[in-house]
């Protein structure tokens, strides 16, 4: 009789624990925090460490988080990687600080077949405010791509009867920006392609900007610009940055052009920037960084005759006006950029590290010995401390980077003069 009572009490205790854990996670929340030590990472793709020592790393097999400057890493992957390849297929992301991160999961493509309806799988956004221990996720409206062909049956496409062929409406989330754990903006583009009947047609159908003010639980459509409305500004949306809740900028159609909002993303205006010598149609605006609501910079990179040049657009009044810096002439490998603070910026190529201590007015360079074949990504948190990811092999293909141990994690505490490999633990 005593054994039966004990068994019943044990069952009640177990069920109570399960209920409490479920309530703690809540609806739409996924808990994939600490791993068991047997974690596959594949090659490391990017790293972001913050001054408090907390940070994030994206790998080919998931997302990692550290609390102690990279000595220990927890697997905090918000959803399961592909069951066959093990690849973690993520969309755009933004890391606000060492606790808050936003990341998107792409939707699927719905095949439209005559007489059948497939349930679309919308893109989702995941958000954490505790370093990835728990994630809240929600769907982003109208973000499923579609595909139809001759088996889909006749019909109209964009209001016009088309010759049967292949038709795709490809939806892409092109950019994500967040100011904190509650406010975020997403840029979405839908691209139309039709082939068949001896012709091919392609065009951007629309660009949209969505905003969430409740941590991603719901999304409000702020603006939709359609190609058919010629007077509207098409939003390129390759990157989007909101330094505060009212000011937003997106990349322009050329290196010397921006699209700017001063009402939280509800309306956008084109803004011209100063033109530069040696810049051209091949010049590319890289993602900006804002050190506060007023002071921000946009790097512009150009490849000329096998060598790179770089200069910065700088604003001190919240994107109202911009000034161009002198041009910096670099080597022949793709430069990686990081910022220790508002004055200390770093540009790293395999053979050269460029450093400025005055916000880009004057640069020095050194030739540190950096283990590895090529620099993949790096992150400085001050004028002295930084981390870098480099490849171990000359081959930088898919097969190589999906293997564990294909990259180095490096650390410097002397401003990049010397680099040591980090012996870290996955927990």
């Amino acid at each position: 009789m005593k054994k039966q009572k004990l068994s019943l009490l044990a069952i009640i205790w177990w069920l109570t624990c399960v209920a409490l854990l479920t309530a703690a996670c809540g609806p739409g929340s996924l808990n994939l925090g600490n791993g068991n030590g047997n974690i596959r990472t594949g090659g490391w793709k990017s790293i972001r460490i913050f001054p408090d020592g907390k940070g994030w790393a994206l790998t080919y097999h998931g997302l990692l988080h550290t609390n102690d400057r990279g000595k220990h890493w927890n697997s905090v992957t918000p959803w399961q990687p592909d069951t066959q390849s093990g690849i973690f297929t993520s969309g755009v992301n933004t890391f606000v600080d060492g606790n808050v991160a936003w990341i998107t999961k792409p939707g699927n493509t719905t095949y439209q077949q005559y007489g059948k309806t497939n349930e679309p799988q919308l893109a989702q956004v995941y958000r954490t405010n505790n370093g990835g221990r728990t994630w809240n996720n929600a769907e982003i409206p109208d973000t499923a791509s579609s595909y139809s062909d001759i088996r889909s049956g006749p019909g109209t496409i964009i209001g016009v009867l088309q010759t049967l062929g292949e038709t795709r409406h490809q939806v892409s989330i092109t950019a994500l920006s967040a100011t904190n754990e509650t406010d975020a903006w997403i840029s979405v583009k839908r691209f139309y392609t039709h082939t068949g009947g001896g012709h091919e047609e392609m065009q951007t159908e629309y660009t949209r900007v969505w905003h969430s003010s409740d941590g991603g639980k719901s999304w409000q459509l702020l603006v939709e610009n359609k190609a058919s409305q010629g007077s509207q500004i098409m939003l390129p949306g390759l990157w989007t940055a909101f330094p505060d809740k009212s000011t937003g900028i997106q990349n322009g159609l050329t290196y010397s052009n921006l699209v700017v909002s001063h009402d939280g993303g509800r309306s956008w205006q084109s803004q011209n920037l100063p033109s530069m010598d040696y810049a051209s149609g091949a010049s590319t605006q890289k993602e900006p960084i804002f050190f506060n609501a007023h002071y921000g910079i946009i790097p512009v990179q150009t490849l000329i005759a096998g060598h790179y040049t770089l200069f910065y657009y700088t604003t001190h009044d919240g994107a109202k006006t911009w000034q161009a810096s002198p041009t910096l002439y670099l080597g022949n490998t793709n430069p990686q950029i990081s910022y220790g603070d508002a004055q200390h910026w770093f540009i790293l190529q395999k053979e050269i590290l460029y450093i400025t201590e005055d916000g880009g007015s004057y640069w020095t360079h050194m030739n540190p010995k950096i283990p590895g074949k090529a620099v993949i990504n790096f992150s400085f948190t001050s004028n002295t401390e930084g981390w870098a990811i480099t490849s171990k092999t000359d081959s930088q293909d898919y097969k190589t980077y999906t293997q564990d141990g294909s990259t180095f994690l490096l650390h410097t505490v002397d401003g990049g003069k010397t680099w040591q490999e980090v012996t870290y633990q996955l927990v």
Side-chain angles (χ1 to χ4, degrees):
M1 189 69 179
K2 289 183 178 180
K3 290 183 179 179
Q4 290 179 347
K5 287 183 178 180
L6 287 173
S7 298
L8 181 60
L9 288 172
I11 292 171
I12 293 172
W13 176 84
W14 181 81
L15 290 172
T16 302
C17 288
V18 171
L20 288 172
L21 286 172
T22 303
C25 289
S29 178
L30 181 65
N31 191 337
L32 292 175
N34 293 337
N36 58 9
N38 186 23
I39 301 170
R40 289 194 63 196
T41 65
W44 291 39
K45 297 194 292 185
S46 64
I47 187 169
R48 178 70 188 279
I49 307 291
F50 290 88
D52 61 0
K54 297 179 181 181
W56 310 84
L58 269 173
T59 78
Y60 275 84
H61 292 311
L63 178 65
L64 304 176
H65 181 267
T66 182
N67 285 309
D68 58 4
R69 318 189 91 76
K71 298 182 181 69
H72 298 85
W73 294 89
N74 294 320
S75 174
V76 294
T77 307
W79 62 85
Q80 296 296 333
D82 182 82
T83 54
Q84 293 184 344
S85 67
I87 300 300
F88 175 58
T89 304
S90 62
V92 292
N93 61 76
T94 184
F95 302 113
V96 178
D97 54 36
N99 294 314
V100 178
W102 298 70
I103 188 168
T104 62
K105 179 182 181 181
N108 67 355
T109 298
T110 303
Y111 174 56
Q112 299 174 338
Q113 189 169 356
Y114 186 70
K116 296 182 179 181
T117 301
N118 295 324
E119 188 69 23
Q121 180 181 326
L122 301 176
Q124 298 184 61
V125 64
Y126 287 72
R127 190 269 301 167
T128 180
N129 60 3
N130 55 19
R133 291 196 300 272
T134 59
W135 294 85
N136 291 290
N137 65 294
E139 293 179 334
I140 305 169
D142 197 22
T143 48
S145 302
S146 65
Y147 166 74
S148 61
D149 57 20
I150 193 170
R151 292 171 295 177
S152 302
T156 58
I157 301 170
I158 314 185
V160 180
L161 186 63
Q162 297 280 2
T163 305
L164 288 179
E166 293 185 354
T167 300
R168 297 180 184 272
H169 299 273
Q170 185 66 42
V171 179
S172 301
I173 299 175
T174 57
L176 167 65
S177 179
T179 55
N180 49 47
E181 65 180 88
T182 58
D183 284 277
W185 292 258
I186 286 177
S187 297
V188 178
K189 178 182 291 187
R190 188 161 107 155
F191 193 78
Y192 160 73
T193 305
H194 176 77
T195 57
H199 75 283
E200 183 176 42
E201 182 181 354
M202 296 182 292
Q203 69 174 10
T204 299
E205 294 186 73
Y206 62 68
T207 55
R208 291 174 172 174
V209 176
W210 297 83
H211 174 240
S212 176
S213 59
D214 57 8
K217 296 176 184 177
S218 62
W219 293 88
Q220 176 191 4
L221 180 61
L222 297 181
V223 63
E224 176 184 86
N225 289 353
K226 296 183 177 180
S228 59
Q229 299 168 328
S231 61
Q232 290 188 332
I233 298 173
M234 291 302 292
L235 304 175
L238 296 179
W239 51 255
T240 299
F242 276 82
D244 57 35
K245 292 183 180 181
S246 61
T247 304
I249 62 173
Q250 291 192 23
N251 64 288
L253 294 174
T254 69
Y255 82 90
S256 59
N257 176 261
L258 288 178
V259 185
V260 182
S261 173
H262 292 287
D263 58 5
R266 292 174 177 81
S267 63
W268 297 80
Q269 300 79 40
S270 179
Q271 183 180 38
N272 291 325
L273 304 174
S275 59
M276 291 288 291
D277 293 336
Y278 300 105
S280 66
S283 301
T284 304
Q285 293 177 352
K286 311 291 281 186
E287 289 196 34
I289 182 171
F290 276 80
F291 302 104
N292 54 49
H294 304 287
Y295 180 24
I297 56 177
I298 304 172
V300 179
Q301 176 180 303
T302 306
L303 180 61
I304 302 176
H307 287 74
Y308 288 91
T309 67
L310 189 117
F311 70 91
Y312 288 87
Y313 287 119
T314 304
T315 181
H316 293 276
D317 56 11
K320 292 183 176 66
T321 60
W322 296 84
Q323 299 79 42
S325 74
T327 299
L328 185 63
Y329 298 88
L330 308 175
N332 59 1
T333 58
N334 189 33
Q336 300 290 327
I337 306 170
S338 185
Y339 309 93
D341 53 43
Q343 298 300 313
H344 295 87
W345 310 347
F346 301 85
I347 302 171
L348 181 59
Q349 294 181 301
K350 179 61 186 76
E351 67 280 6
I352 305 176
L353 176 63
Y354 299 88
I355 303 170
T356 180
E357 298 180 347
D358 58 6
S361 298
Y362 178 75
W363 292 84
T364 60
H365 68 273
M366 64 178 74
N367 298 86
K369 293 182 178 180
I370 303 175
K373 299 294 185 179
V375 178
I376 298 171
N377 191 244
F378 78 121
S379 174
F380 269 83
T381 58
S382 68
N383 63 324
T384 58
E385 189 172 22
W387 290 259
I389 301 169
T390 63
S391 62
K392 290 186 177 181
T393 62
D394 290 316
S395 174
Q396 300 180 29
D397 55 20
Y398 169 86
K399 184 178 180 180
T400 301
Y401 278 151
T402 56
Q403 302 298 314
D404 291 346
S406 60
T407 50
F408 286 113
L409 176 61
L410 308 175
H411 183 222
T412 181
V413 293
D414 56 11
K417 296 177 183 177
T418 60
W419 296 83
Q420 294 78 37
E421 183 179 1
V422 178
T423 302
Y424 58 86
Q425 292 183 354
L426 297 171
V427 295

